[in-house]
């Protein structure tokens, strides 16, 4: 993958938004290490986390030094979606988060890969990874939704809880030439179809919080995010200027 | 995902008991001859019960060590100080999960399911390597584990690539390649710290001070106290004695510690011209037995965490099994209709 410095500020802002999404979700998935419900999922979740971390490193390097950006920014300077910073919860919550995000990322990268903007090379590679992430989440949504009574209830709760963070994914991002409304329509159709096949109900509630539409992209995050950053940044910040 | 039931069936089909007792002597001669000729024993071949039991015990302990060993390193994934190091560490912990998978599969070829072995781990009836009962207190411990613990594992495991049991030997070939990668990455991590700020250097030295002796204990008790060694050597499950391997490891580590600019915490460590090997100080075997009995700094924590992950995942595994059953039934139904 080529790392071209973002030439203008709009592209830099977009690279930061997409890079932060990948960085933060990768971190959350990394928290599963040693806790997964079955050994095969230790491998699968780590795979996805590693793909996302790889994407994050390319995107952040388009903006500046990847480590400075990851470790030395304050919470309000992060541009990721609130969806990806949500705590792992139980396995159903993690899968619902993956389903919503990877379906969105698959469509977005698909569109960016087809264009000839600065993100096309990255998106062309990443869309293949994301296809696997989306498939992984879809398969688990079907298993959990249409599994046991307990798994069905847990999966429905997870889908309901995260639903209000899904609208933010389609707020236009400056620097990305994308048909956001079209993207949202396709996303909603696809996700609804998966939920239906999983015998789950498509939530009726709003897809954005009362005052939080697009908030993550403006640096407004949820409470758990500050703790996540405190853990992630602590060691790096304890040794200013050190190399690792 | 394979269901437990599917795995059990596969396992029990893998070995059929030999015919009447009259034939056993003949089978045994063939087995002994194959081992003597350095041929591989394969799952469908006849083998003595004790050989099978020894292999299951050893492979299970090895598999358990891989998955318990994920914990001390996973402890640092969320705090890794650079994105490059974070990616390396995540990939390493993932490799260890993969090693667990290969090894549980190797044990299944002997007729023992993964569920059965996990049960024995969770109930304390089977062990894992005691090294993982030590804590990872600083980032440098990640490097020390890679360099010393993966390094000791390689010294132990390279000879296992020639183990008489085919599936185990083949699993070890794959695993050893990845372990040597881990060892080099651990070394490189420590080198960066050793050449870094004084604080980083001190962190690296402290980690090596804490991990050196426990890594030497990874080779097991001295030869004259080792219960299983002689028979395992005769069966070519084991190829070298504990003390031979330990000596080999010390001789490998000494020059590496020098190039790292770190010292090994043993005042008696010195080159013995006559033997062409290093002499080293006495190992505190009382600590070894104490940790093995459950009194290490993290025994309770590691096992509790493992049980907890397993119990919390039960509903997920049940859902997968229920879904698979429904899916198969409805497909069968459709085919009939
Ligand atoms: Fe391993
Ligand atoms: Fe390893």
């Amino acid at each position: 993958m080529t790392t071209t410095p973002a030439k203008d500020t709009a592209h830099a802002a977009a690279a930061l938004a997409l890079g932060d999404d990948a960085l933060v979700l990768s971190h959350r998935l990394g928290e599963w290490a040693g806790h997964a419900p079955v050994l095969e999922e230790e491998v699968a979740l780590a795979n996805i986390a590693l793909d996302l971390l790889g994407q994050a490193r390319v995107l952040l390097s388009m903006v500046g030094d990847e480590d400075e950006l990851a470790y030395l920014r304050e919470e309000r300077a992060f541009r990721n979606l609130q969806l990806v910073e949500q705590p792992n919860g139980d396995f159903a919550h993690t899968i619902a988060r993956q389903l919503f995000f990877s379906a969105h990322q698959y469509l977005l990268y698909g569109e960016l890969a087809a264009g000839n903007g600065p993100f096309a090379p990255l998106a062309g590679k990443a869309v293949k990874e994301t296809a696997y992430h989306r498939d992984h989440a879809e398969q688990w949504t079907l298993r959990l939704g249409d599994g046991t009574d307990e798994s069905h209830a847990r999966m429905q709760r997870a889908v309901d809880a995260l639903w209000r963070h899904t609208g933010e994914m389609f707020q236009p991002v400056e620097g990305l030439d994308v048909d956001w409304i079209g993207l949202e329509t396709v996303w909603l159709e696809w996700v609804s179809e998966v939920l239906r096949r999983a015998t789950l109900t498509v939530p009726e509630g709003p897809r954005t919080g009362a005052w939080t539409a697009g908030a993550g992209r403006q640096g407004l995050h949820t409470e758990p995010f500050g703790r996540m950053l405190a853990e992630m940044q602590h060691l790096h910040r304890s040794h200013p200027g050190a190399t690792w | 995902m394979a269901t437990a039931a599917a795995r059990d069936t596969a396992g029990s089909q893998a070995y059929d008991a030999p015919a009447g007792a009259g034939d056993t002597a003949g089978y045994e001669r063939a087995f002994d001859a194959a081992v003597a000729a350095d041929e591989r024993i394969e799952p469908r071949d006849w083998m003595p019960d004790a050989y099978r039991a020894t292999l299951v015990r050893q492979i299970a302990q090895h598999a358990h060590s891989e998955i318990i060993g994920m914990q001390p390193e996973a402890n640092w994934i969320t705090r890794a100080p650079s994105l490059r190091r974070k990616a390396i560490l995540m990939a390493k912990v993932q490799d260890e999960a993969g090693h667990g998978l290969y090894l549980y599969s190797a044990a299944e070829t002997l007729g023992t399911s993964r569920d059965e072995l996990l049960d024995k781990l969770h109930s304390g009836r089977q062990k894992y390597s005691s090294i993982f009962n030590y804590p990872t207190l600083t980032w440098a411990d990640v490097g020390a584990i890679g360099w010393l613990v993966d390094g000791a594992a390689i010294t132990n495991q390279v000879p296992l690539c020639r183990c008489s049991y085919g599936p185990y030997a083949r699993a070890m070939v794959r695993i050893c390649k990845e372990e040597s990668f881990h060892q080099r990455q651990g070394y490189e991590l420590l080198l960066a710290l050793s050449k870094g700020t004084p604080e980083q250097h001190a962190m690296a030295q402290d980690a090596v001070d804490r991990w050196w002796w426990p890594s030497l204990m990874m080779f097991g008790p001295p030869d004259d106290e080792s219960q299983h060694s002689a028979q395992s050597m005769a069966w070519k499950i084991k190829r070298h004695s504990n003390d031979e391997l330990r000596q080999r490891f010390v001789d490998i580590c000494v020059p590496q510690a020098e190039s790292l600019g770190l010292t090994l915490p043993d005042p008696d460590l010195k080159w013995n011209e006559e033997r062409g090997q290093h002499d080293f100080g006495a190992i505190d075997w009382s600590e070894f037995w104490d940790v093995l009995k459950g009194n290490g700094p993290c025994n309770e924590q590691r096992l509790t965490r493992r049980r907890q992950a397993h119990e919390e995942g039960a509903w997920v595994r049940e859902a997968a099994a229920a879904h698979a059953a429904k899916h198969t039934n409805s497909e069968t139904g459709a085919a009939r209709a």
Side-chain angles (χ1 to χ4, degrees):
Chain A
M1 247 177 304
T2 47
T3 312
T4 30
K7 294 222 167 47
D8 53 70
T9 49
H11 283 146
L16 205 56
L18 301 184
D20 284 350
D21 284 349
L23 178 73
V24 171
L25 187 55
S26 161
H27 185 94
R28 284 298 191 202
L29 291 172
E31 292 174 352
W32 271 104
H35 289 283
V38 60
L39 204 42
E40 283 81 355
E41 283 306 299
E42 293 283 359
V43 177
L45 294 172
N47 247 330
I48 298 170
L50 280 164
D51 285 344
L52 289 167
L53 184 52
Q55 295 168 13
R57 295 180 66 190
V58 173
L59 286 159
L60 294 180
S61 297
M62 292 168 89
V63 183
D65 179 85
E66 59 176 27
D67 287 334
E68 264 177 44
L69 289 164
Y71 293 100
L72 298 176
R73 269 182 300 160
E74 300 293 328
E75 179 177 339
R76 296 279 277 109
F78 276 81
R79 293 290 177 260
N80 55 284
L81 299 164
Q82 290 184 350
L83 175 68
V84 297
E85 76 203 28
Q86 295 312 303
N88 287 336
D90 65 3
F91 191 66
H93 277 75
T94 290
I95 291 301
R97 195 180 59 197
Q98 286 303 113
L99 183 78
F100 295 159
F101 181 75
S102 59
H104 148 79
Q105 206 191 30
Y106 177 75
L107 294 169
L108 178 61
Y109 280 167
E111 199 159 322
L112 293 174
N116 50 13
F119 299 107
L122 165 98
K125 184 190 176 227
V127 75
K128 292 178 199 128
E129 298 168 347
T130 307
Y132 160 73
H133 306 171
R134 195 181 73 144
D135 185 56
H136 172 264
E138 179 187 359
Q139 294 308 316
W140 273 110
T141 302
L142 295 175
R143 285 189 198 110
L144 299 181
D146 188 18
T148 62
D149 288 348
E150 182 183 5
S151 70
H152 178 87
R154 283 179 184 259
M155 195 62 214
Q156 186 67 59
R157 268 203 298 280
V159 164
D160 292 347
L162 293 172
W163 192 247
R164 69 191 192 86
H165 293 293
T166 59
E168 195 187 354
M169 296 190 290
F170 306 99
Q171 299 288 324
V173 174
E174 205 200 338
L176 293 184
D177 184 20
V178 168
D179 170 14
W180 295 99
I181 294 169
L183 215 63
E184 183 163 25
T185 309
V186 178
W187 181 89
L188 197 55
E189 270 169 23
W190 187 83
V191 166
S192 302
E193 176 61 13
V194 172
L195 295 180
R196 192 194 57 73
R197 281 165 53 220
T199 73
L200 296 161
T201 308
V202 179
E204 280 170 7
R207 297 197 20 250
T208 51
W211 61 279
T212 53
R217 295 284 186 233
Q218 291 150 39
L220 277 176
H221 295 280
T222 53
E223 285 185 354
F225 186 55
R227 287 181 184 278
M228 193 206 99
L229 284 186
E231 184 173 340
M232 182 175 106
Q233 297 182 335
H234 140 262
L235 177 60
H236 183 98
R237 284 180 182 252
S238 304
H239 298 263
T243 48
W244 300 94
Chain B
M1 196 181 64
T3 62
R7 286 201 302 271
D8 279 339
T9 319
S12 58
Q13 280 169 350
Y15 74 105
D16 305 314
D23 299 333
T24 307
Y27 282 126
E28 193 144 18
R29 269 195 304 278
F31 171 86
D32 289 343
V35 170
D38 268 335
E39 282 166 22
R40 289 278 154 81
I41 308 299
E42 294 299 333
R44 287 189 168 276
D45 296 339
W46 183 89
M47 61 187 86
D49 288 345
Y51 175 83
R52 183 187 302 276
T54 299
L55 276 170
V56 169
R57 184 179 53 79
Q58 182 172 331
I59 296 172
Q61 177 163 334
H62 190 168
H64 299 333
S65 303
E66 298 286 356
I67 64 168
I68 295 276
M70 294 168 70
Q71 288 184 34
E73 294 193 273
N75 185 34
W76 283 92
I77 287 178
T78 54
R79 293 176 288 173
S82 74
L83 297 185
R84 175 173 164 264
R85 292 288 176 200
K86 187 172 185 168
I88 291 172
L89 181 56
M90 272 203 229
K92 188 195 172 193
V93 174
Q94 182 191 36
D95 284 348
E96 308 301 3
H99 298 170
L101 280 173
Y102 308 156
L103 288 162
Y104 286 118
S105 301
E108 279 174 3
T109 66
L110 292 160
T112 312
S113 72
R114 192 202 304 180
D115 288 346
E116 197 178 330
L117 295 179
L118 284 177
D119 246 15
K120 287 186 174 157
L121 169 66
H122 297 152
S123 59
R125 282 174 294 156
Q126 281 180 342
K127 300 269 180 220
Y128 55 88
S129 176
S130 265
I131 192 77
F132 300 119
N133 289 318
Y134 290 86
T136 47
L137 301 179
T138 72
W139 169 250
D141 290 32
V142 171
I145 289 186
W147 178 45
L148 294 173
V149 176
D150 286 82
I154 295 164
T155 309
N156 256 330
Q157 290 168 13
V158 164
L160 290 175
C161 299
R162 295 185 297 125
C163 162
S164 59
Y165 186 59
Y168 190 28
R170 288 187 289 273
M172 292 320 303
V173 172
R174 256 173 109 172
I175 290 175
C176 281
K177 269 186 208 151
E178 293 178 353
E179 301 296 12
S180 60
F181 214 61
H182 299 165
Q183 195 266 353
R184 265 177 287 152
Q185 287 166 335
Y187 176 90
E188 200 244 319
L189 190 163
L190 285 177
L191 188 64
L193 294 180
S194 182
K195 293 186 162 170
T197 65
E199 290 80 9
Q200 285 176 307
H201 181 89
M203 193 193 279
Q205 183 61 58
D206 167 61
V208 169
D209 288 348
R210 281 181 290 110
W211 288 92
W212 173 248
W213 290 106
S215 344
L216 293 190
M217 296 179 200
M218 281 177 71
F219 297 92
D223 293 346
D224 47 13
E225 285 174 45
S226 177
Q227 320 171 21
H228 304 289
S229 281
Q231 181 62 74
S232 288
M233 302 261 283
W235 277 330
K236 296 188 181 168
I237 294 175
K238 211 173 150 81
R239 297 268 179 173
H240 307 278
S241 80
N242 294 352
D243 287 333
E244 275 169 39
L245 292 169
R246 189 166 12 245
Q247 179 71 54
R248 188 178 295 179
F249 178 68
V250 171
D251 292 333
I252 291 170
C253 287
V254 171
Q256 292 182 349
E258 262 166 44
S259 8
L260 279 172
L262 298 171
T263 57
L264 296 171
D266 179 359
D268 296 326
L269 187 65
K270 60 173 181 299
W271 179 249
N272 182 324
E273 194 64 56
E274 217 168 286
R275 291 201 300 127
Q277 293 173 322
H278 291 88
D279 291 335
F280 55 96
I283 293 171
D284 179 2
W285 290 109
S286 63
E287 175 181 317
F288 174 80
W289 295 114
D290 212 20
V291 175
L292 196 70
K293 269 184 280 176
N295 202 22
C298 302
N299 299 57
E300 183 64 32
Q301 179 189 329
R302 300 282 186 249
L303 209 52
T304 302
R305 163 86 174 272
R306 179 86 267 292
R307 283 196 204 108
Q308 194 187 352
H310 192 72
E311 282 159 20
E312 283 173 3
W315 70 270
V316 177
R317 298 189 300 274
E318 284 158 18
H323 179 82
K326 280 187 210 178
H327 195 63
T328 317
N329 288 347
S330 64
E331 265 179 356
T332 320
R336 276 196 202 117

